[in-house]
Amino acid sequence: MRELPFTIDQFLQVFEVYNRAIWPTQFVAYLLGTVVIWLVIKQGLSSEIYINRIIGLFWIWMGVIYHIIFFAVINPAAYIFGALFILQGGHSSD
């Protein structure tokens, strides 16, 4: 079995550094998540559009901020993951 290119401690440290760096942006994510739930319940004519855009924004954020900026420090494959997240997020916001 092939070993991961990082240790568990390095992996957990990425979470710590990421969460400290984006503080207090987590509250914006919670707010947007709440908006998505409200839009699902409301079921208006444009709800689906806004839901897709918000989820697309989350995917792009994870691609750029988490994968490319933070996770790539310990795993070069994160550039590929990040690019795929960005592509999918851009497609979701159409």
Side-chain angles (χ1 to χ4, degrees):
M1 181 177 222
R2 189 169 179 212
E3 290 193 30
L4 294 173
F6 50 84
T7 66
I8 292 173
D9 288 336
Q10 289 173 315
F11 184 64
L12 295 175
Q13 187 177 21
V14 168
F15 287 131
E16 179 183 355
V17 171
Y18 168 78
N19 281 308
R20 288 179 190 265
I22 68 163
W23 176 260
T25 309
Q26 292 93 332
F27 292 109
V28 175
Y30 285 129
L31 177 64
L32 289 173
T34 303
V35 168
V36 166
I37 292 168
W38 179 76
L39 288 169
V40 167
I41 293 167
K42 178 181 174 245
Q43 297 264 329
L45 293 175
S46 58
S47 292
E48 184 177 323
I49 293 168
Y50 291 114
I51 291 168
N52 286 339
R53 287 181 179 168
I54 292 169
I55 292 172
L57 177 67
F58 282 145
W59 279 82
I60 292 167
W61 173 277
M62 292 307 296
V64 174
I65 306 300
Y66 176 73
H67 284 292
I68 292 174
I69 294 176
F70 289 93
F71 191 47
V73 171
I74 64 168
N75 185 3
Y79 291 110
I80 297 167
F81 300 143
L84 293 172
F85 269 71
I86 293 165
L87 288 172
Q88 182 64 42
H91 178 70
S92 296
S93 61
D94 288 342

